[in-house]
Amino acid sequence: MFRAGSQNADLCWLILLGFSCLQEASGRAADAGGCHEVKTAYMMRQIGPVELVPDRPGTGESLRLCSHPGPTCCTGKMEDSYMTAVRTETQQKMRSYSFELKYLIAGHTKAYQETFDSLVSFTSDLTSTLFDSAYSTLASDSRPLVLQLFSDVKRHLSGDPHSSLDTAVRRFYDDLFPLVYRRVLNPGLGHTSRSFPSTNHDDCLRMTRQDLSPFGPHPWLLTSSLSRALRPGRTLSQLLRLAGEVVNATEKATLSRECGRALVRMQYCSHCKGLTLIRPCTGLCINIMRGCLLGVSELGAPWSSMVVLLQRLSGTLATSSNQNSLELALLAVRNHVNDAILHAQLHGPRITTLVEKVCGSQVPGPMISTEHSSHWHTTTRETSSFKRSQVTSPSSLQQSLQSRKSLPLKSSGGGKSRSLKKLSREFEGSIQRYQWFFSELPEMLCESEMEVEQHTCWSGQDVVESYAGHVAGSSLKAQKENPEMSVRNTDAVLKGAKKKLEQRTQELLVELGWASKGREREDRGGSMEKKEGGSGEDCDDEDGCETSGQESGDEISSGHSPETKDLAAPHHLHPVPPHLHSPPQVVVRDSAHLLTSGPLTSVILLLLLLCPWAPR
């Protein structure tokens, strides 16, 4: 019995010895191939020299970020390589997400500029034909003046901060006055040309033109009409340029070293344990990305306000009424110039007397004969009626524009040309998708890192079933409670971009007259919008409706949080009633009776209705 017991004991010792030997052999095999997957991932992601990865797990005494109990496949030099790689990867992901937005902005900036240039070139040629057909004696020397005027208009539409419509129009009429004075009002003074040096008398005419006012109110009316109609297009060009600068600033922003440490813990510390396929927990990723991109998230509110303004401006260009149409305002330059010359003809004797008093009399010079020289000696009334017949009336201009749908444009390099209204409608719908882009960028970057159909995730230190930490908000105040990293200061480049975005947007709102006048007016505007209902998004002059969605006094939102973005509606979708913001009226010659006949007729009809009728 004792022998049987001793045999059983020997058998147990043999089993234990065999098991220990097997465990040691398997441990040696694990040590030999334990870092193979880590080395493969290190090489595939091109993180650094593959020689830095050990063949077998070590103690990890030199680790600063990914230290943990037990053997590890990481070294201190690998941590440095991980730090450089993860910052580069994150910035590449940011650029990949912003590429479409950057392309949208750059493409529409170019498209708008080409459309504006085509409109200006067409109306410049149209204005020059006025002198060819109605003022042939001015045709050759007036063409450079017209080209210079529309060149200044083109610069103004491009958003050039140094351009001034008032200066451009004033210079045009200053240079036009000597030509009109010599060849239209006093043709006997000679046919001098701009190709010769100007005389002292011509210089005097230019300098005193504003005081003499030979063209009446028409220079001011031209400036007023162009300023009002070109303002949305000019502001849109400036905002598109600003939007491109903001996107470029986010791409150039650097990630802090604290951010790099947190990204390494999230992305690569799991590799040190041989876990190359596990994904970080959702809460961990959001905390780290919000902390790293705090400066980008801070752009969310001012960027949202700018996108709303871009939508509103594009909606204005797409649905502008005839009174504020950029195309019609450019077409009307021809009429304004003709009315100015007619005004000078009608007041020719008075203008000549004033000029002789101020600049002195001019000795008649030699006449250069032209095929139309006989027209110089016609009466003022006959000449005026002839010149009027050569110019299209405003009503016929509107009918012509509506019948053609849009002005004829030169084809752009990209293929088919698009009208201003179609281009604006397209951009209005496209830019709306990016209203909350910078606010949601941290979450978008986490989409590719979040666990997919996995019951476990990486918490930054170990494998867990769910993230137990607190998920901090995206604001600067909320990020002070971020459990994954300490957030101190935002990037200086992004801070400057935010300040410029807020300041420039507010300045443009003031220039447009759309800045807030107070909470009371905002509430009143909102109530009026609710009463009006309807939307101008799919309705424009091309479809036969005239909805004006611009030049109102509503407040552009200063930004909302992503949680409330569904409640914020674009302001251009609710046009303000005309009586809340009436644009300045343009005086039209020989139309005074039209302005007074309406009220007079109403009074007469009212008296006829109220008077008692006595039976005969």
Side-chain angles (χ1 to χ4, degrees):
M1 187 173 180
F2 176 79
R3 183 179 297 177
S6 62
Q7 289 179 352
N8 291 336
D10 292 340
L11 181 60
C12 290
W13 280 109
L14 288 174
I15 294 175
L16 290 174
L17 181 62
F19 181 78
S20 62
C21 292
L22 181 62
Q23 185 177 13
E24 183 178 357
S26 63
R28 287 197 301 267
D31 291 345
C35 296
H36 176 71
E37 292 185 2
V38 178
K39 182 176 290 189
T40 301
Y42 195 89
M43 181 178 60
M44 293 296 293
R45 297 195 180 192
Q46 299 180 349
I47 295 173
V50 71
E51 294 81 9
L52 296 179
V53 184
D55 294 330
R56 292 180 297 177
T59 58
E61 295 178 355
S62 62
L63 296 181
R64 302 178 303 275
L65 302 177
C66 301
S67 59
H68 61 269
T72 178
C73 287
C74 292
T75 63
K77 292 184 178 180
M78 288 176 63
E79 282 186 335
D80 295 337
S81 298
Y82 281 143
M83 174 82 75
T84 303
V86 76
R87 293 165 79 174
T88 302
E89 290 171 0
T90 303
Q91 289 178 323
Q92 287 177 347
K93 289 178 182 178
M94 291 174 60
R95 283 192 289 269
S96 66
Y97 275 100
S98 62
F99 173 78
E100 186 179 351
L101 172 61
K102 189 175 182 179
Y103 179 79
L104 174 70
I105 294 173
H108 280 83
T109 300
K110 181 180 179 181
Y112 269 113
Q113 194 58 52
E114 289 178 350
T115 304
F116 291 153
D117 291 351
S118 296
L119 287 171
V120 172
S121 298
F122 174 79
T123 50
S124 175
D125 294 339
L126 184 67
T127 304
S128 294
T129 60
L130 166 69
F131 295 95
D132 296 334
S133 60
Y135 304 100
S136 58
T137 58
L138 306 177
S140 60
D141 289 330
S142 64
R143 183 170 291 275
L145 305 183
V146 174
L147 291 176
Q148 181 61 48
L149 172 63
F150 281 94
S151 176
D152 293 335
V153 169
K154 185 183 298 185
R155 286 181 55 214
H156 190 75
L157 267 176
S158 69
D160 188 341
H162 303 294
S163 66
S164 170
L165 280 179
D166 182 68
T167 301
V169 173
R170 183 169 63 248
R171 180 170 57 240
F172 170 76
Y173 280 108
D174 287 347
D175 292 338
L176 182 64
F177 181 40
L179 300 177
V180 173
Y181 182 77
R182 289 179 176 277
R183 304 182 192 178
V184 179
L185 304 186
N186 299 282
L189 294 181
H191 193 95
T192 59
S193 173
R194 293 185 74 252
S195 59
F196 294 98
S198 61
T199 63
N200 293 333
H201 195 267
D202 290 342
D203 293 337
C204 179
L205 291 176
R206 293 189 185 93
M207 291 187 293
T208 59
R209 196 272 306 171
Q210 295 185 68
D211 296 328
L212 296 176
S213 188
F215 300 117
H218 299 290
W220 177 85
L221 291 175
L222 175 58
T223 302
S224 177
S225 172
L226 288 178
S227 297
R228 181 176 62 250
L230 269 58
R231 191 177 295 124
R234 171 180 169 83
T235 306
L236 183 66
S237 298
Q238 292 174 327
L239 274 182
L240 285 173
R241 188 178 300 113
L242 178 60
E245 293 175 1
V246 172
V247 176
N248 289 334
T250 60
E251 294 183 349
K252 296 177 182 178
T254 57
L255 301 176
S256 66
R257 189 163 184 83
E258 178 68 20
C259 168
R261 294 191 188 99
L263 288 171
V264 170
R265 285 191 289 106
M266 178 185 77
Q267 191 73 30
Y268 289 114
C269 281
S270 59
H271 290 207
C272 298
K273 288 189 173 185
L275 305 173
T276 59
L277 299 180
I278 194 168
R279 295 177 179 270
C281 298
T282 302
L284 173 68
C285 183
I286 291 178
N287 271 337
I288 292 178
M289 286 301 180
R290 283 180 176 176
C292 289
L293 304 182
L294 177 61
V296 176
S297 299
E298 288 285 297
L299 289 170
W303 174 266
S304 174
S305 298
M306 189 197 66
V307 170
V308 172
L309 182 55
L310 282 172
Q311 287 182 266
R312 192 171 177 189
L313 289 168
S314 56
T316 296
L317 294 175
T319 63
S320 58
S321 63
N322 291 335
Q323 196 170 19
N324 297 290
S325 170
L326 184 150
E327 295 164 314
L328 283 176
L330 291 174
L331 280 172
V333 173
R334 175 187 169 104
N335 274 13
H336 284 293
V337 173
N338 181 72
D339 289 343
I341 299 176
L342 289 179
H343 184 279
Q345 286 182 290
L346 292 174
H347 300 83
R350 179 186 65 83
I351 295 172
T352 301
T353 302
L354 291 175
V355 168
E356 290 178 352
K357 288 181 180 180
V358 177
C359 300
S361 59
Q362 186 75 3
V363 179
M367 297 286 294
I368 297 179
S369 60
T370 63
E371 58 181 350
H372 297 286
S373 61
S374 60
H375 291 292
W376 291 353
H377 301 285
T378 59
T379 62
T380 303
R381 186 178 301 277
E382 292 173 349
T383 305
S384 300
S385 61
F386 169 73
K387 306 296 173 57
R388 288 179 187 276
S389 64
Q390 301 297 319
V391 184
T392 309
S393 64
S395 60
S396 60
L397 279 176
Q398 296 177 8
Q399 294 174 358
S400 174
L401 182 63
Q402 292 173 355
S403 64
R404 288 179 296 181
K405 300 293 182 183
S406 62
L407 293 180
L409 304 179
K410 299 176 182 178
S411 298
S412 60
K416 296 189 299 182
S417 61
R418 290 171 288 180
S419 72
L420 180 60
K421 296 183 185 298
K422 291 181 180 179
L423 176 64
S424 300
R425 267 204 305 266
E426 174 189 308
F427 178 67
E428 183 183 6
S430 299
I431 195 63
Q432 184 178 10
R433 302 197 305 268
Y434 296 93
Q435 181 175 353
W436 306 102
F437 177 77
F438 292 113
S439 299
E440 298 175 344
L441 185 58
E443 286 79 2
M444 288 190 289
L445 291 174
C446 283
E447 287 180 356
S448 60
E449 302 297 339
M450 293 178 183
E451 66 271 17
V452 180
E453 296 182 358
Q454 291 186 358
H455 300 290
T456 57
C457 61
W458 178 253
S459 67
Q461 296 177 348
D462 207 346
V463 179
V464 296
E465 293 184 358
S466 62
Y467 182 70
H470 166 70
V471 179
S474 57
S475 65
L476 178 60
K477 181 178 180 180
Q479 279 300 304
K480 293 180 179 180
E481 301 178 0
N482 193 327
E484 300 300 333
M485 57 181 294
S486 59
V487 180
R488 298 176 182 177
N489 298 321
T490 58
D491 185 88
V493 175
L494 296 178
K495 189 180 297 184
K498 177 188 176 184
K499 183 177 180 180
K500 183 177 181 180
L501 183 59
E502 291 175 336
Q503 182 178 358
R504 190 66 188 126
T505 302
Q506 185 61 31
E507 290 174 354
L508 293 175
L509 283 171
V510 173
E511 291 179 10
L512 288 166
W514 293 352
S516 173
K517 304 297 183 180
R519 180 61 59 182
E520 179 180 354
R521 177 164 184 173
E522 180 187 1
D523 296 339
R524 183 179 60 182
S527 62
M528 292 300 297
E529 289 173 357
K530 291 179 181 179
K531 292 180 181 179
E532 287 294 316
S535 170
E537 184 177 6
D538 299 321
C539 178
D540 60 15
D541 296 343
E542 297 179 5
D543 300 325
C545 54
E546 299 177 357
T547 303
S548 177
Q550 77 282 9
E551 306 251 323
S552 63
D554 296 343
E555 178 183 9
I556 296 294
S557 170
S558 60
H560 306 276
S561 63
E563 289 80 1
T564 60
K565 63 185 176 182
D566 293 333
L567 302 178
H571 288 260
H572 71 273
L573 297 181
H574 304 280
V576 175
H579 67 274
L580 290 183
H581 189 85
S582 300
Q585 300 296 322
V586 178
V587 180
V588 181
R589 183 184 305 278
D590 298 334
S591 61
H593 65 283
L594 297 176
L595 300 177
T596 58
S597 61
L600 181 59
T601 304
S602 302
V603 171
I604 294 174
L605 291 175
L606 183 61
L607 290 175
L608 291 175
L609 291 174
L610 295 178
C611 290
W613 293 89
R616 294 186 178 179

